[in-house]
Amino acid sequence: MMQEMWTILRILNWTKAYFEDKGIESPRLDAELLLCAVLGMRRIDLYTHFDQPLEKEELAAYRGYVMRRAKREPVAYILGEKGFLDYTFAVTADTLIPRPETELLVEKILAVTADGPLDILELGVGSGAILISLLLKRKEAQGLGVDISEGAVAVARKNAKNLGVTDRSEIIVSDLFEKVPEGRKFDLIVSNPPYIPKKDLAGLSPEVRKEPLGALDGGEDGLDFYRRIVREGMAYLKEDGLFAFEVGIGEGAAAADLLVQNGCGAARVFLDYAGIDRMVLAAKEGTTYADKIMETGN
């Protein structure tokens, strides 16, 4: 009996329909990304090889990926990696998946900082996407990344090694400032902390609920970690240093107010492309960073 033949086009069309039935948001894109991983192709290669049949082993591997995605496991976890800015980062279920909105935070920091020595502290380093990207863009910078999750720290260290910044970075397990050396002062303290209000967690998409809860839950109003970071962080920030946060929807003004109340009089909320609060940058009044924060475009 002749074995049924599955070409690239046929399997993509079937998977798209299957994912649509499962309520997956981007069914065709996800199907293509998973098939590219199995075949070692770029997406454009799929379109020039539509009639190519899949080998038995390729089909089995692809079906395994499809079943995982159908259970709403994020594509990045299935593939074990995610692109961020110009780089590719390893990710696991121990880390949040880097998002395009967070790229805006890195770009905003780059817009107000200059080349030259820069000592960076990232709180909640996760996969290391923020810290490592900054180190790659600022060749004289060095950084310390901390995370309460041992699994996340292991992933961030792997990414630092893969992307060649181990000589300029240290990544440790720490509950925020717990293990940060006393007396050390930083030019930049950056964080994308948990900021989703507890009441909103149940309404998150099935994919987001697969990500680590501890990296999402920001307490009753979503601001718990901002309060801790700002309260403790002033002791670790240089007099002319810079705070930079990612924030959740509607949290920008409250986060900026926390910074102002604790001595960073120049605080500004920046929006993402959808016009939603996304970043807060702050510095003490009269500093170079204060001027740059107020001068830079949204």
Side-chain angles (χ1 to χ4, degrees):
M1 187 174 182
M2 184 177 290
Q3 189 174 10
E4 191 174 20
M5 186 173 74
W6 286 91
T7 63
I8 285 177
L9 180 58
R10 186 183 178 202
I11 198 73
L12 285 175
N13 288 339
W14 182 91
T15 308
K16 177 178 179 288
Y18 181 65
F19 282 170
E20 283 176 338
D21 186 59
K22 295 294 182 180
I24 289 170
E25 190 172 314
S26 50
R28 178 71 181 209
L29 174 61
D30 290 0
E32 291 179 1
L33 291 173
L34 295 174
L35 191 55
C36 283
V38 169
L39 300 179
M41 287 183 174
R42 301 168 301 167
R43 286 178 64 203
I44 189 66
D45 296 331
L46 298 179
Y47 287 80
T48 58
H49 294 79
F50 269 160
D51 295 331
Q52 177 178 315
L54 271 68
E55 301 289 342
K56 182 179 178 181
E57 295 78 11
E58 293 169 341
L59 192 59
Y62 183 68
R63 282 177 170 159
Y65 281 176
V66 168
M67 292 304 103
R68 290 171 65 182
R69 184 68 187 104
K71 295 176 181 177
R72 307 303 286 269
E73 184 176 353
V75 170
Y77 287 163
I78 297 171
L79 302 183
E81 64 182 34
K82 179 67 175 178
F84 185 83
L85 292 174
D86 303 322
Y87 317 110
T88 299
F89 288 84
V91 294
T92 72
D94 288 310
T95 67
L96 280 185
I97 298 167
R99 288 168 167 77
E101 295 86 352
T102 306
E103 294 180 350
L104 297 178
L105 176 63
V106 174
E107 290 168 354
K108 191 64 64 179
I109 291 168
L110 293 172
V112 301
T113 59
D115 289 331
L118 191 71
D119 201 3
I120 304 167
L121 171 63
E122 184 183 1
L123 302 163
V125 72
S127 66
I130 294 174
L131 176 63
I132 293 169
S133 295
L134 288 170
L135 295 179
L136 289 165
K137 298 290 187 182
R138 292 282 181 260
K139 301 300 184 183
E140 294 183 53
Q142 61 178 350
L144 171 63
V146 306
D147 203 293
I148 198 169
S149 164
E150 291 185 8
V153 165
V155 173
R157 287 173 175 167
K158 176 182 178 180
N159 284 321
K161 181 178 180 181
N162 289 347
L163 290 165
V165 297
T166 51
D167 59 327
R168 294 188 287 126
S169 64
E170 182 183 7
I171 299 168
I172 63 172
V173 177
S174 176
D175 181 3
L176 296 183
F177 296 97
E178 178 190 22
K179 300 288 177 61
V180 179
E182 286 188 27
R184 185 168 174 183
K185 301 271 188 177
F186 296 88
D187 298 291
L188 167 65
I189 296 177
V190 59
S191 186
N192 175 19
Y195 57 64
I196 298 175
K198 195 177 292 290
K199 62 181 173 54
D200 294 340
L201 292 171
L204 296 174
S205 73
E207 285 84 357
V208 176
R209 291 203 301 273
K210 298 279 188 182
E211 298 186 60
L213 179 64
L216 299 169
D217 186 354
E220 294 304 321
D221 61 358
L223 298 171
D224 281 4
F225 283 87
Y226 300 106
R227 293 188 184 95
R228 287 184 59 192
I229 292 169
V230 175
R231 184 177 65 246
E232 300 173 36
M234 293 303 296
Y236 293 89
L237 188 71
K238 290 182 180 179
E239 191 66 23
D240 57 352
L242 173 70
F243 266 115
F245 290 144
E246 182 171 325
V247 296
I249 295 173
E251 295 176 353
D257 190 52
L258 283 170
L259 287 154
V260 171
Q261 290 175 14
N262 284 271
C264 285
R268 183 176 168 191
V269 180
F270 294 90
L271 310 179
D272 63 18
Y273 295 129
I276 295 169
D277 292 359
R278 187 56 61 189
M279 300 153 279
V280 175
L281 270 60
K284 292 184 178 180
E285 289 182 304
T287 63
T288 300
Y289 282 133
D291 294 339
K292 288 185 176 179
I293 290 168
M294 296 309 168
E295 291 168 1
T296 189
N298 187 66

